[in-house]
Amino acid sequence: MHDHLMTVEERRATWGLGAVFSLRMLGMFMVLPVLTTYGMQLQGANETLIGFAIGIYGLAQAIFQIPFGLLSDKVGRTPLIVGGLLIFVAGSVVAALSDSIWGVIFGRGLQGAGAISAAVMALLSDLTREQHRTKAMAFIGVSFGITFAVAMVLGPIITHALGLSALFWGIAIFALSGIVITLTIVPKPSHHLMNRESGIVKDHFWLVLRNSRLLKLNLGIMSLHVLLMSSFVALPIAMEHAGFLRQQQWMVYLVTMTVSFVAVIPFVIYAEKKRQMKRVFVGCVLTLLAAELTLWQAGLHLWVLFAGIQLFFIAFNVMEAILPSLISKEAPVGYKGTAMGIYSTSQFIGVAVGGSFGGWLLQSGGTSMVFIGGACVAMLWFGLSLTMREPPYVSSLRIVLSKTAITQADQLANNIKAQPGVADVVLVVDEMAAYVKVDTKQTSRRDLEQIVASAG
């Protein structure tokens, strides 16, 4: 076997779980461009309740994300993923059958309660080897971005052609497809892997939660999704008021998302390869502030609105790409999974706050008030971002240890620490693994594996 190549099983796991993750995330994103316009036809609907219907999905996700991840350690990954998708299907059906805003709110809450993201990432860890896990997880990250772009275009097209109810039926079908993929394509793990790179360490949860550098990043992802959700409460209505019909709005999302995906690449390369993470981060927050101010001043000028949307999506997509990387760099060695769990929960708190906050502002003062509120959030975030320090340019690696190597744990840890670029190392005897934070430009994974092999 060539260790530098993925096995057939690893490729099936990566593609299959990427598809499951994407099909489910469509349920979060497809409603964003349409609920504030088409949803107003629902019985009892007003702007505040529409915002709550958008946000309650995130609230349920934030509540259940970490508990479901921990539960998957006990009941198994696959049963929890299938169960979560069934809950999601039930929520979609409830929303599809509802002609009132309260029915849609209840359905959206149920959708969010099927929180499977942590279980999906844990199953991916079970099914991939250490040297391919980063690649596999990067694929999931890319699929997230593509899903967002597809949902922005597909949601308005389906809703205009078939109605809001049909959109929810479509979302239910996508989730059922995810169940089929999980049961037929995704391989069954032969063992449950204890892996702190993707799993949560309960005993040290508070240690990670109060880490000041991680806290700023968690507030960052929360702010980013407050801006996303509140802006999408107002954008469809703002475009309609400017004379751009709701059935045409998918074209704006198609163009702006395509441009932003292309624009992301040089910024991410500059941030990672040139080691300018803080500069790119602060620049993106400033761009988000500029976008909110542009949308606020646009009024009925359609092309100014389009410019604001384009600025927003460029900054948003760059942030979505670099924030997980920053979490990985800043997380204490051996606690990346715990840090990512808190990060994901913060993201969904942002979804909950952004939808509800945006709906309330829209009803109180119209679209301008929503964008003013967004500008205030971006301004506060900009001030916080200036206090950030440049991150350590290190990667988190997990290296499997032999029984012989474990007997020499202290000496092995010292040998690893002595290598250039190694910031920290923790050996976990129960997992037969070493967790290392290292600058891979100075010492590669292969170098560290050779040190481990010489000890075993």
Side-chain angles (χ1 to χ4, degrees), residues 8 121 186 208 254 325 404 442 445:
V8 172
M121 300 308 278
V186 177
V208 177
L254 177 61
S325 176
T404 308
Q442 297 186 56
R445 168 185 279 278

Side-chain angles (χ1 to χ4, degrees), residues 84-129:
L85 286 171
L86 285 172
I87 294 171
F88 185 89
V89 170
S92 303
V93 171
V94 168
L97 293 173
S98 299
D99 57 6
S100 77
I101 186 61
W102 288 107
V104 170
I105 288 171
F106 180 65
R108 289 278 293 165
L110 261 182
Q111 282 184 326
I116 63 168
S117 299
V120 167
M121 300 308 278
L123 181 55
L124 190 64
S125 290
D126 291 345
L127 294 170
T128 52
R129 289 169 294 162

Side-chain angles (χ1 to χ4, degrees), residues 133-356:
R133 194 159 298 131
T134 301
K135 246 188 305 187
M137 291 189 175
F139 176 82
I140 299 286
V142 171
S143 71
F144 179 90
I146 294 171
T147 298
F148 181 76
V150 170
M152 292 297 98
V153 176
L154 202 56
I157 291 174
I158 293 174
T159 309
H160 175 65
L162 302 170
L164 193 60
S165 178
L167 178 68
F168 283 113
W169 281 117
I171 291 168
I173 292 168
F174 288 145
L176 286 171
S177 302
I179 293 173
V180 172
I181 292 169
T182 302
L183 296 175
T184 61
I185 294 177
V186 177
K188 303 297 181 288
S190 57
H191 63 285
H192 166 51
L193 178 69
M194 292 296 294
N195 186 350
R196 294 170 176 231
E197 290 294 282
S198 58
I200 293 169
V201 185
K202 290 185 291 185
D203 296 343
H204 293 81
F205 185 83
W206 292 108
L207 170 73
V208 177
L209 187 62
R210 63 174 182 260
N211 181 298
S212 62
R213 297 180 73 153
L214 289 173
L215 186 60
K216 290 177 183 179
L217 297 176
N218 292 329
L219 288 171
I221 191 63
M222 186 174 74
S223 300
L224 184 63
H225 282 262
V226 167
L227 293 175
L228 176 70
M229 293 298 161
S230 61
S231 296
F232 264 105
V233 168
L235 276 175
I237 294 174
M239 284 192 282
E240 201 165 45
H241 287 170
F244 201 67
L245 299 178
R246 63 182 70 171
Q247 57 265 34
Q248 299 175 316
Q249 291 180 7
W250 66 269
M251 292 184 281
V252 179
Y253 302 127
L254 177 61
V255 172
T256 53
M257 290 301 292
T258 301
V259 171
S260 64
F261 271 133
V262 174
V264 161
I265 298 169
F267 286 111
V268 172
I269 291 173
Y270 179 67
E272 290 279 7
K273 301 294 184 186
K274 301 296 184 182
R275 303 196 164 188
Q276 295 292 335
M277 276 284 192
K278 181 179 177 180
R279 181 174 293 182
V280 172
F281 187 97
V282 173
C284 282
V285 180
L286 195 58
T287 304
L288 287 165
L289 174 58
E292 293 292 334
L293 292 173
T294 301
L295 293 169
W296 169 43
Q297 288 296 310
L300 299 179
H301 298 95
L302 196 56
W303 287 101
V304 181
L305 269 176
F306 292 165
I309 294 169
Q310 186 65 80
L311 280 174
F312 184 92
F313 277 133
I314 289 173
F316 175 83
N317 284 319
V318 173
M319 279 299 209
E320 283 284 354
I322 68 172
L323 269 166
S325 176
L326 282 167
I327 290 286
S328 178
K329 287 173 171 53
E330 296 285 14
V333 64
Y335 298 105
K336 178 182 170 183
T338 308
M340 289 303 296
I342 296 169
Y343 168 85
S344 183
T345 299
S346 303
Q347 173 183 339
F348 286 114
I349 291 172
V351 171
V353 172
S356 305

